[in-house]
Amino acid sequence: MSPIGGTVNLGVTVIRSRHSVRKYKDSPVEDKTVKDALDCARLAPTARNEQPWLFGTVRNRDTLRAIADLAENARFIADAPICFAVFGKRDAKYYLEDCCAATMQLLLALQAWGVGSCWVAGEKKDYAEDVRKLLNVPEEYALVSLVPAGYPEEIKITKKKILDEVAFFERYEEE
């Protein structure tokens, strides 16, 4: 049974089991998993069907360390077997929303394959331009997110707020 009742749904199970992972085993993520996750990301919904994204993958240790050195709160990227980079075309009106949807689908696809990941901010971060230049991405694109990934070395589940604390139905009312 699901927590809310009814039968178990595989998609919902993947969503409920996803959490940020920052420590990874020293095992590569298979190419088929990487390609499938990227394919799921590219199928994300987008305003006007613009699909204003560009997805990169980094496995090279030196490049992973360079990204980790730039991303001040994500030094763990250096130890990830792979890091995905999601870029959006700056002139697309809703590139941020579209690329965030793609990032979420990437995270969920990785989770479905048993690969842990962590969404690292790119948009508005001081290091965004440096990462773009490091990866030789054209100037017309802006870094939206970095997603280091790998098989979890450890799993830490953080407590989440219950539904009643974060949702309302019809109209918000203070208690």
Side-chain angles (χ1 to χ4, degrees):
M1 297 292 277
S2 74
I4 296 180
T7 59
V8 174
N9 174 294
L10 183 57
V12 172
T13 300
V14 169
I15 292 168
R16 285 195 172 118
S17 68
R18 210 226 62 88
H19 53 275
S20 294
V21 173
R22 293 175 180 84
K23 291 189 178 185
Y24 312 99
K25 292 180 182 176
D26 189 24
S27 304
V29 177
E30 293 84 4
D31 287 343
K32 70 175 183 161
T33 301
V34 170
K35 287 181 183 174
D36 189 57
L38 288 169
D39 198 41
C40 288
R42 78 161 178 92
L43 293 171
T46 123
R48 302 182 204 139
N49 197 30
E50 283 193 53
Q51 305 171 59
W53 39 57
L54 179 64
F55 305 105
T57 61
V58 177
R59 295 181 195 247
N60 178 278
R61 283 274 141 231
D62 292 334
T63 309
L64 288 167
R65 276 190 286 277
I67 293 170
D69 287 344
L70 291 169
E72 70 273 358
N73 292 321
R75 303 288 187 221
F76 59 94
I77 290 173
D79 299 320
I82 189 168
C83 184
F84 297 84
V86 179
F87 292 88
K89 214 169 203 179
R90 296 176 200 266
D91 66 355
K93 185 173 182 179
Y94 299 106
Y95 81 86
L96 181 59
E97 293 86 346
D98 293 346
C99 290
C100 285
T103 300
M104 195 67 233
Q105 288 201 190
L106 176 68
L107 294 167
L108 293 173
L110 291 167
Q111 180 67 23
W113 282 103
V115 176
S117 61
C118 183
W119 186 325
V120 176
E123 175 76 6
K124 300 181 194 122
K125 299 300 278 183
D126 291 338
Y127 56 79
E129 271 302 291
D130 292 332
V131 170
R132 182 191 65 75
K133 289 174 185 174
L134 175 70
L135 300 181
N136 200 37
V137 172
E139 209 172 320
E140 67 191 280
Y141 290 94
L143 178 66
V144 173
S145 59
L146 294 167
V147 179
Y151 296 99
E153 183 177 288
E154 66 179 25
I155 298 174
K156 291 184 180 179
I157 308 290
T158 56
K159 187 173 174 14
K160 300 285 186 173
K161 293 179 181 179
I162 62 170
L163 185 60
D164 289 343
E165 292 180 278
V166 298
F168 70 91
F169 300 92
E170 304 304 329
R171 291 179 43 117
Y172 179 82
E173 305 218 7
E174 298 248 1
E175 289 186 30

